[in-house]
Amino acid sequence: MKIAILSRKESLYSTRRLVEAGQSRGHEMQVIDPLRCYMNITPHNPSMHYRGEVLEGVDAVIPRIGASITFYGTAVVRQFEMMGTYSVNESVAITRSRDKLRSLQLLARKGIGLAVTGYAHSTKYTSDLIQMVGGAPLVVKLLEGTQGIGVVLAETNKAAESVIEAFRGLDAEILVQEFIREANGSDIRCFVVGGKVVASMMRKGKEGEFRSNLHRGGTGTSIKITPEERSTAVRAAQIMGLNVAGVDMLRSNHGPVVMEVNSSPGLEGIETYTGKDVAGTVIEFIEKSAKPNQTRTRGRG
Ligand code: ADP
Ligand code: MG
């Protein structure tokens, strides 16, 4: 098969590993920078151009769209879908997963365990918003933040109010969330491929840090998850419509609570800490699933 990885950089660990895993299974792998793709929007024969040439014969794409290029990146994925090219994660699902509020609403609707979360546009009723989610300590999050940036712990109601007002003063959209103290600065990342958890790790924030993100200095270990955690991860990925997903959850006193579902989960941490060939499982899944015109949404949405 000819498989294109939509990624800005060939040298990124995840991109390199997918290329390697594909090549070792006899596939032709090509890394394509989505920002250098351009396309013609037409009802007949939509096409994709890349660096001055028509891009043809691609059987499947693996979108690795960074948060900062979601808008253009998902348009590129959508064009591939319109052309009938299989995309391992569909554009609509990627867009969904990038908006934390929308994601949490979708997960809540299906009864997935979540931390109590509040959301408001106006700062007029901030103290009531804080009470609504149970009062301090609280976590305040930028709606489109990533890698732990824009996630703040407010220990008191007064601090929470100031942080909320500061973010809103900058016109940032935010969530306010119950702080799951018992998670102890750790979270669980389940890597889901095709409806199965193929690897999972526990991440722990560095000393004195409640955010467990590896980008914030956290470290990981391979762990055995509970059946409840496994089914929560699988269901969360399925609700988001993602074939490949990194589902993050916290161990709370009342079972697993999902934090977020990532549509371009990194491979470096999970492969390093679990020793598993996760890239290989992604390629295997594509081998089983990629057929022309198989993306369910075919560029809709
Ligand atoms: P990002 O998209 O920036 O990674 P997250 O929502 O995943 O944002 O939050 C980053 C980290 O902060 C989580 O992995 C978790 O360790 C910690 N965290 C986030 N929300 C809470 C919460 N409500 N209670 C306890 N810890 C939290
Ligand atoms: Mg996270």
Side-chain angles (χ1 to χ4, degrees):
M1 271 198 284
K2 183 169 169 180
I3 304 174
I5 302 168
L6 302 180
S7 165
R8 297 233 47 214
K9 260 204 212 137
E10 268 181 68
S11 59
L12 295 174
Y13 178 96
S14 302
T15 309
R16 270 194 293 118
R17 282 286 300 126
L18 288 163
V19 168
E20 250 171 50
Q23 283 172 346
S24 73
R25 282 166 177 76
H27 302 296
E28 185 190 333
M29 305 300 290
Q30 187 179 0
V31 179
I32 290 174
D33 177 354
L35 295 189
R36 302 211 170 173
C37 288
Y38 45 102
M39 49 218 149
N40 60 343
I41 317 282
T42 148
H44 307 292
N45 294 322
S47 65
M48 181 67 78
H49 286 234
Y50 184 58
R51 295 178 166 211
E53 279 171 31
V54 187
L55 198 59
E56 275 175 327
V58 177
D59 300 298
V61 295
I62 306 176
R64 302 280 318 170
I65 308 294
S68 60
I69 63 153
T70 301
F71 182 75
Y72 195 76
T74 50
V76 171
V77 177
R78 205 152 47 233
Q79 182 82 353
F80 276 113
E81 289 164 2
M82 287 169 70
M83 290 158 57
T85 306
Y86 178 83
S87 179
V88 69
N89 276 339
E90 297 187 18
S91 56
V92 182
I94 299 169
T95 308
R96 236 182 241 140
S97 74
R98 286 292 152 82
D99 176 339
K100 286 188 181 182
L101 177 64
R102 183 175 177 188
S103 305
L104 292 178
Q105 285 177 320
L106 291 170
L107 297 171
R109 198 166 70 177
K110 299 285 183 182
I112 295 287
L114 301 170
V116 179
T117 304
Y119 172 75
H121 181 80
S122 164
T123 48
K124 220 169 156 188
Y125 312 102
T126 300
S127 64
D128 190 40
L129 175 73
I130 290 171
Q131 288 315 315
M132 194 177 81
V133 294
L138 288 174
V139 176
V140 183
K141 292 185 193 184
L142 288 179
L143 220 52
E144 300 203 2
T146 177
Q147 304 183 344
I149 300 163
V151 179
V152 180
L153 174 61
E155 297 276 6
T156 64
N157 288 344
K158 210 76 225 122
E161 246 175 75
S162 308
V163 174
I164 292 168
E165 281 167 11
F167 275 153
R168 291 297 300 130
L170 297 168
D171 262 341
E173 298 286 343
I174 48 141
L175 289 179
V176 189
Q177 204 165 62
E178 158 198 19
F179 176 51
I180 310 291
R181 195 184 288 282
E182 63 270 26
N184 219 354
S186 298
D187 76 348
I188 295 173
R189 156 65 58 97
C190 293
F191 204 106
V192 180
V193 178
K196 289 197 186 83
V197 177
V198 298
S200 39
M201 62 175 167
M202 178 173 262
R203 295 177 298 197
K204 170 119 188 86
K206 61 177 185 218
E207 190 60 31
E209 173 61 77
F210 81 102
R211 297 168 300 175
S212 55
N213 301 68
L214 301 179
H215 286 100
R216 303 270 69 75
T219 50
T221 42
S222 181
I223 50 148
K224 200 167 156 37
I225 52 169
T226 67
E228 192 188 10
E229 287 161 353
R230 186 173 297 274
S231 69
T232 301
V234 167
R235 284 189 63 219
Q238 190 231 335
I239 292 163
M240 301 302 295
L242 294 166
N243 290 315
V244 172
V247 181
D248 295 344
M249 43 199 172
L250 300 179
R251 282 186 167 160
S252 84
N253 289 336
H254 45 95
V257 293
V258 172
M259 291 278 95
E260 61 172 344
V261 184
N262 288 287
S263 53
S264 292
L267 293 176
E268 187 164 15
I270 197 89
E271 288 197 336
T272 307
Y273 296 120
T274 67
K276 292 201 171 138
D277 175 14
V278 178
T281 63
V282 173
I283 303 293
E284 262 168 40
F285 175 75
I286 292 172
E287 289 166 358
K288 276 189 289 185
S289 325
K291 293 179 191 76
N293 303 316
Q294 279 296 293
T295 46
R296 281 182 305 165
T297 44
R298 299 243 19 225
R300 264 184 278 139

